[in-house]
Amino acid sequence: MEVTFRVIGRAGWGGLSRGFCAEMLQSLVKNVWIPVKAYCTQVYQGIWVGMGLMGFTIYKIRIADKRSKALKALSLASAHGHH
Amino acid sequence: MNENLFASFTTPMMMGVPIVVLIIIFPSILFPSPNRLINNRLATVQQWLIQLVSKYMLSIHNYKGQTWALMLMSLILFIGSTNLLGLLPHSFTPTTQLSMNLGMAIPLWAGTVVMGFRHKTKASLAHFLPQGTPLPLIPMLVIIETISLFIQPVALAVRLTANITAGHLLIHLIGGATLVLMNINPVTALITFIILILLTILELAVALIQAYVFTLLVSLYLHDNT
């Protein structure tokens, strides 16, 4: 596994230098992203649309759940307040 | 007893940190990437299996459908390996969670539908009305076909969840019954134990079949839309 050029940086947090992170990123791009680039950008466009749709559905369900919980808590508090 | 029955389906935590992502990623380390012309035995057997499955699964597809080969093979490997690993005692099976299966089914189904509407709009719209439908039945049938289209991802997810969850619950129940019966009536416990062994063999088959069915249905939806 070769990297085309090295980036040398100062030691950062927990021993992970900027150079090491940059090398990891370069290796990731060369070995993972470039082989699947054509798939992710062209073939699986519909899947991204589906993931967006699913994320939107999850967001709507979570918002509705939060609202109903807040409403329930409010109605409970007002019932206790009346008593 | 009731709480113990469903305890194995709760998302696992280790010291307050959810480790479900690690469990989902784990099966991928059991499939090493073959990087030599002649690999070791494990990689060779895996390569042979993948070639066999892909040959049969992709034979029905045209050029556009075969661009999904990577996705379909990854899908069947992931679901199959996850289901099989879930048969180990005290392990957590991600595919028992409806959230996970919906997360797989909805994007894949939507991907096939979007592909169909983009490249073959007329043919995709024509799927909403079967050929030879009598004129008075057309409105009702269009509604029924629309509902059946939108139910496809839900059915995909629920089928996998229900099959795997039911199998695990049965194993848990019969295993518990065997343990309890050992002190009461050893002969009945032996019969229950034989049933448990047969059930485990069935669950091995179900694990592989459900992975195949999920992938085959996604492949069929893709075939309809390409």
Side-chain angles (χ1 to χ4, degrees):
Chain A
M1 201 166 68
E2 288 173 280
V3 181
T4 46
F5 58 91
R6 284 180 168 274
V7 176
I8 300 164
R10 288 179 295 120
W13 310 290
L16 267 177
S17 66
R18 262 183 285 164
F20 184 70
C21 287
E23 269 185 42
M24 256 197 332
L25 204 65
Q26 282 169 28
S27 161
L28 209 73
V29 165
K30 187 182 166 201
N31 294 315
V32 177
W33 172 245
I34 287 176
V36 298
K37 187 172 149 189
Y39 289 101
C40 288
T41 49
Q42 289 165 34
V43 182
Y44 301 154
Q45 281 169 356
I47 294 182
W48 299 125
V49 170
M51 281 176 75
L53 188 79
M54 193 180 65
F56 178 70
T57 314
I58 292 167
Y59 165 75
K60 280 286 176 194
I61 292 172
R62 281 180 79 166
I63 290 281
D65 187 41
K66 243 186 236 180
R67 272 199 201 131
S68 81
K69 278 195 181 132
L71 216 69
K72 215 181 267 180
L74 202 69
S75 67
L76 263 168
S78 68
H80 280 298
H82 278 300
H83 291 303
Chain B
M1 167 71 180
N2 283 339
E3 202 190 292
N4 282 340
L5 202 57
F6 292 100
S8 58
F9 298 114
T10 53
T11 45
M13 306 270 258
M14 194 193 284
M15 295 186 285
V17 178
I19 53 167
V20 66
V21 176
L22 282 173
I23 295 172
I24 291 171
I25 292 171
F26 175 73
S28 62
I29 68 174
L30 302 172
F31 297 100
S33 332
N35 52 9
R36 289 185 167 80
L37 192 61
I38 299 171
N39 295 290
N40 60 21
R41 264 173 274 219
L42 179 67
T44 311
V45 166
Q46 286 172 358
Q47 244 183 326
W48 172 77
L49 269 169
I50 290 168
Q51 276 169 1
L52 187 74
V53 173
S54 59
K55 189 174 73 174
Y56 286 112
M57 201 157 264
L58 297 165
S59 56
I60 58 165
H61 289 291
N62 56 12
Y63 171 74
K64 241 187 179 26
Q66 285 180 0
T67 54
W68 276 54
L70 180 67
M71 177 59 80
L72 293 173
M73 287 303 110
S74 310
L75 192 65
I76 194 169
L77 279 178
F78 173 68
I79 300 177
S81 58
T82 309
N83 288 348
L84 286 171
L85 283 169
L87 289 171
L88 296 168
H90 299 290
S91 63
F92 172 72
T93 320
T95 44
T96 53
Q97 309 298 309
L98 186 64
S99 53
M100 161 106 172
N101 296 332
L102 275 171
M104 285 194 294
I106 292 177
L108 289 169
W109 165 82
T112 59
V113 167
V114 165
M115 201 180 216
F117 275 102
R118 266 181 79 187
H119 300 289
K120 287 164 70 175
T121 319
K122 250 193 249 177
S124 298
L125 285 169
H127 281 129
F128 285 113
L129 191 66
Q131 214 172 15
T133 312
L135 204 64
L137 284 177
I138 288 176
M140 194 177 74
L141 222 57
V142 169
I143 293 169
I144 289 171
E145 288 293 324
T146 313
I147 293 170
S148 84
L149 177 74
F150 284 101
I151 270 215
Q152 280 172 356
V154 178
L156 263 180
V158 169
R159 182 185 300 112
L160 182 58
T161 310
N163 271 291
I164 304 299
T165 311
H168 286 207
L169 270 175
L170 268 173
I171 287 175
H172 196 120
L173 277 169
I174 292 178
T178 311
L179 270 172
V180 165
L181 283 169
M182 268 198 316
N183 293 325
I184 300 168
N185 188 344
V187 175
T188 319
L190 185 67
I191 295 168
T192 324
F193 183 66
I194 292 168
I195 294 172
L196 181 65
I197 291 174
L198 292 172
L199 186 66
T200 309
I201 296 168
L202 175 72
E203 281 309 306
L204 277 165
V206 164
L208 293 168
I209 288 167
Q210 285 306 314
Y212 174 68
V213 162
F214 194 103
T215 314
L216 184 73
L217 282 168
V218 170
S219 161
L220 281 172
Y221 299 155
L222 181 70
H223 180 66
D224 282 341
N225 286 300
T226 51

